[in-house]
Amino acid sequence: MKAFAERYRRLDDPTSTNRKIDAMVAYFRSAPPEDAIWSIRFLIGRKPRQVVPTRKLMEWAAELAGVPDWLFDASYDVVGDLAETITLLLPKASGSSDRPLHRWVEKHLLPLRGHDPEVQKRAVGAAWNRMDDVQRFVWNKLITGGFRVGVSQRLVVRALAQFSRIDAAVISHRLMGDWPPTADYYRQILSPDTHDADISRPYPFYLCYPLEGDPESLGPVKDWQIEWKWDGIRGQIIKRRGQIFIWSRGEELVTDKYPELRNVAASLPDGTVIDGEILPWKKGRPMPFSELQRRIGRKTVGKKLLRDAPVVFLAYDQLESGGRDIRQTALEHRRAALSGVISPLPGNRIQISPVVVAETWKEFAALQRESRSRGVEGFVMKRFDSVYEVGRRRGSWWKWKIDPLTVDAVLIYAQRGHGRRAGLYTDYTFAVRQGDSLVPFAKAYSGLSDAEIRQVDRFIQRNTVERFGPVRAVTPRLVFEIAFEGIQKSTRHKSGVAVRFPRIARWRRDKTVEEADTIETLTALMPP
């Protein structure tokens, strides 16, 4: 635990990429496999589910710190991070623990789930008593389910590849799917043997890079396969040894959530892996993404939901054929293989994503402007000779998205951020005009520069008119352009609409509240 906590501290500090990789390599050189595998799991974002209710943790920490609940809540409001707040308020640590990370996780953390609160309280208090401040902080992060660190999965892969001298693409593949956090599996990750016994394992996804300039900079149109950019859940369908596995890009096994896809996939040739998009689909066109959201959180899908929100899988690519990895063959050959396995399938639940045909980039630009009416987000452009890589890379795959929808809205509420933004008001609620009043319609957390965030923070502190716990109502004076990807009716929101992926496009210093957009302007953006 001591070594992992110290490494966490170093990785969470702003520092160069190479230093972070060096720190991880040094850790893997010295860590026992039982600890290293848990470290990998946490560093790539496989954080444990919260094992103790947040309110209970706050009560126990306040009791040990000898502070009233209101003071703990006020401290949390200022700090913005529960794990850090608890660490700061607990009595000063008198020692540190040499107990290995895996023992803390397997013997003390995971068994807490489901225990009586008094048992949990004694166990948590005993753990705090054995740890120094850095260890407490990491422990609190793990126990609250809020573990995050300033490294990406790609950096972890690079560190493991550098340490083991195994190709990064192989490491990436071995970290996909659901694997056991055991010493044996750690050895498999680093093994030079390329044989993989896990028949369910998906491949790392290849992601498109946003097109930043004119598409004509990509060269002749004839070199590119161009498809619509669909708005669904990226996934892979796998058939190996007669078994079907459906994975989302978030590495969630979702086979049972989409039985209609599973049933059709049973007709795929054995040893097949296809990459594509899960979409809600009716009458030959996509439905709003919110229809798919109705199924995402369900453990079981009833007959009514299957009728109301049916899905299709639009296949983009074939990654495995006859049990052979074909990612390094050219796209045009993979596409031909994909067509061969999709064509004989019954029904239309699994389809091949259609190629869009035009002669010039100018013609494609005209078609791209029709995207929203077609229920798509623009184009995806792939070189015919491209191989299937790992992650988001420039060069061979690009996405050419339509411009977002925008309205000018008024800042009405604010709340402090978390982590490094804990001392600043960075979480905002925006409203549009409705007659003589303002009606909230979206929350946004990104889009401003650091300098602008500090300016808005000063305005909020000087213009607070009311407080609701950590939330401040402010004088409605600041106007911002809010961008979002989609809009639809909603009975859950006061405004009657819900927007998708709202963010701040710019600060409209040139506009007054009276010039902000109205609810009528907002609702007019909804599709017919």
Side-chain angles (χ1 to χ4, degrees):
M1 182 68 166
K2 181 182 291 186
F4 178 69
E6 176 57 28
R7 203 61 53 188
Y8 176 92
R9 185 187 64 79
R10 291 179 61 182
L11 293 173
D12 204 38
D13 285 340
T15 186
S16 74
T17 295
N18 288 337
R19 287 183 180 178
K20 290 183 176 184
I21 291 175
D22 289 344
M24 285 188 282
V25 170
Y27 173 78
F28 292 132
R29 284 197 182 113
S30 59
E34 297 85 357
D35 281 1
I37 191 66
W38 278 110
S39 301
I40 293 170
R41 196 170 183 87
F42 295 148
L43 291 174
I44 67 173
R46 305 278 185 92
K47 59 188 180 182
R49 289 192 297 119
Q50 186 170 359
V51 296
V52 176
T54 298
R55 179 45 61 182
K56 290 294 182 184
L57 279 176
M58 296 169 72
E59 290 175 5
W60 303 337
E63 182 179 328
L64 284 173
V67 299
D69 290 345
W70 68 264
L71 183 55
F72 185 98
D73 291 343
S75 301
Y76 181 24
D77 182 32
V78 172
V79 175
D81 182 280
L82 179 58
E84 186 176 1
T85 304
I86 292 173
T87 304
L88 291 171
L89 287 177
L90 287 174
K92 187 170 179 61
S94 58
S96 65
S97 172
D98 292 322
R99 183 167 294 177
L101 172 65
H102 74 277
R103 287 190 61 82
W104 275 114
V105 175
E106 296 167 7
K107 303 295 184 183
H108 299 276
L109 177 69
L110 300 181
L112 284 176
R113 184 175 291 111
H115 266 303
D116 180 89
E118 283 303 314
V119 174
Q120 292 178 331
K121 179 180 179 181
R122 288 194 297 271
V124 171
W128 283 335
N129 195 44
R130 296 175 192 169
M131 297 177 174
D132 62 30
D133 286 343
V134 176
Q135 292 171 341
R136 283 175 174 175
F137 179 64
V138 173
W139 170 256
N140 292 337
K141 284 286 187 184
L142 293 174
I143 205 170
T144 59
F147 186 90
R148 295 182 185 87
V149 67
V151 296
S152 65
Q153 179 163 334
R154 190 171 179 179
L155 282 190
V156 177
V157 168
R158 285 177 59 185
L160 286 168
Q162 182 175 317
F163 168 58
S164 65
R165 299 188 179 180
I166 294 173
D167 187 84
V170 175
I171 297 290
S172 290
H173 190 200
R174 291 174 178 176
L175 293 181
M176 291 291 288
D178 188 19
W179 42 265
T182 63
D184 283 344
Y185 194 74
Y186 178 68
R187 296 185 186 98
Q188 289 181 43
I189 292 173
L190 305 181
S191 171
D193 182 3
T194 58
H195 176 72
D196 189 350
D198 185 355
I199 63 171
S200 74
R201 188 174 313 288
Y203 290 99
F205 287 86
Y206 186 16
L207 308 177
C208 297
Y209 208 89
L211 184 66
E212 296 166 343
D214 194 303
E216 293 189 359
S217 64
L218 300 179
V221 168
K222 64 180 178 62
D223 294 339
W224 297 86
Q225 174 180 296
I226 301 176
E227 305 164 65
W228 295 113
K229 185 181 184 308
W230 304 98
D231 183 19
I233 296 175
R234 185 85 173 272
Q236 287 178 30
I237 295 180
I238 298 169
K239 183 180 181 183
R240 296 187 183 121
R241 299 184 195 173
Q243 298 185 55
I244 306 299
F245 308 94
I246 304 176
W247 290 91
S248 72
R249 194 184 119 195
E251 296 186 46
E252 181 187 2
L253 190 61
V254 296
T255 316
D256 292 339
K257 293 184 179 181
Y258 304 104
E260 62 266 64
L261 301 182
R262 179 189 60 212
N263 295 340
V264 176
S267 298
L268 287 168
D270 209 61
T272 297
V273 178
I274 57 177
D275 170 24
E277 198 92 7
I278 301 171
L279 291 163
W281 193 270
K282 263 187 180 180
K283 298 180 180 178
R285 61 173 289 125
M287 302 165 69
F289 184 81
S290 59
E291 295 299 318
L292 190 58
Q293 286 178 312
R294 296 170 60 191
R295 295 182 61 165
I296 290 173
R298 300 288 185 92
K299 290 185 178 180
T300 58
V301 182
K303 292 181 179 180
K304 184 177 187 304
L305 193 52
L306 284 171
R307 288 194 306 269
D308 293 345
V311 300
V312 299
F313 187 88
L314 287 188
Y316 297 146
D317 214 324
Q318 185 164 352
L319 315 183
E320 190 174 306
S321 177
R324 183 173 63 91
D325 181 352
I326 61 172
R327 291 178 295 163
Q328 295 307 302
T329 60
L331 171 64
E332 56 188 334
H333 300 307
R334 301 197 310 273
R335 177 84 180 190
L338 178 67
S339 180
V341 300
I342 297 296
S343 297
L345 295 179
N348 61 358
R349 291 294 186 185
I350 299 180
Q351 309 174 24
I352 193 166
S353 176
V355 171
V356 184
V357 178
E359 296 295 324
T360 66
W361 289 117
K362 186 175 182 180
E363 291 177 24
F364 275 114
L367 287 170
Q368 196 241 20
R369 289 191 287 272
E370 300 174 7
S371 297
R372 192 162 276 116
S373 64
R374 294 173 179 264
V376 297
E377 298 182 318
F379 287 133
V380 169
M381 301 169 292
K382 307 170 184 175
R383 289 191 65 90
F384 281 116
D385 61 358
S386 64
V387 300
Y388 192 97
E389 300 192 63
V390 175
R392 183 173 279 110
R393 297 178 182 272
R394 292 174 177 266
S396 295
W397 284 24
W398 300 90
K399 56 183 178 182
W400 182 14
K401 294 184 66 174
I402 51 177
D403 293 333
L405 300 168
T406 62
V407 292
D408 293 326
V410 183
L411 173 66
I412 58 171
Y413 300 118
Q415 188 171 349
R416 282 192 174 96
H418 297 274
R420 294 190 179 93
R421 288 183 163 190
L424 298 168
Y425 285 92
T426 60
D427 298 0
Y428 312 125
T429 299
F430 295 95
V432 289
R433 293 186 297 121
Q434 186 174 38
D436 295 329
S437 61
L438 293 167
V439 57
F441 79 99
K443 293 184 178 181
Y445 316 94
S446 62
L448 296 180
S449 67
D450 290 343
E452 289 174 326
I453 287 173
R454 289 191 292 271
Q455 292 177 49
V456 175
D457 180 77
R458 286 194 292 271
F459 171 86
I460 292 165
Q461 298 204 47
R462 294 170 182 170
N463 292 273
T464 297
V465 294
E466 199 169 358
R467 300 189 186 196
F468 309 94
V471 179
R472 292 193 179 196
V474 298
T475 303
R477 191 178 301 161
L478 304 186
V479 178
F480 297 84
E481 183 180 341
I482 306 302
F484 45 93
E485 298 304 318
I487 180 172
Q488 62 190 62
K489 292 181 180 179
S490 171
T491 57
R492 296 175 54 244
H493 297 81
K494 186 177 180 181
S495 61
V497 301
V499 297
R500 190 155 183 241
F501 297 146
R503 69 268 189 195
I504 302 170
R506 57 177 170 152
W507 187 348
R508 295 303 307 263
R509 300 173 190 264
D510 58 321
K511 286 202 169 186
T512 65
V513 172
E514 290 72 27
E515 295 173 294
D517 282 317
T518 65
I519 189 67
E520 290 77 18
T521 304
L522 183 64
T523 55
L525 297 175
M526 285 192 292

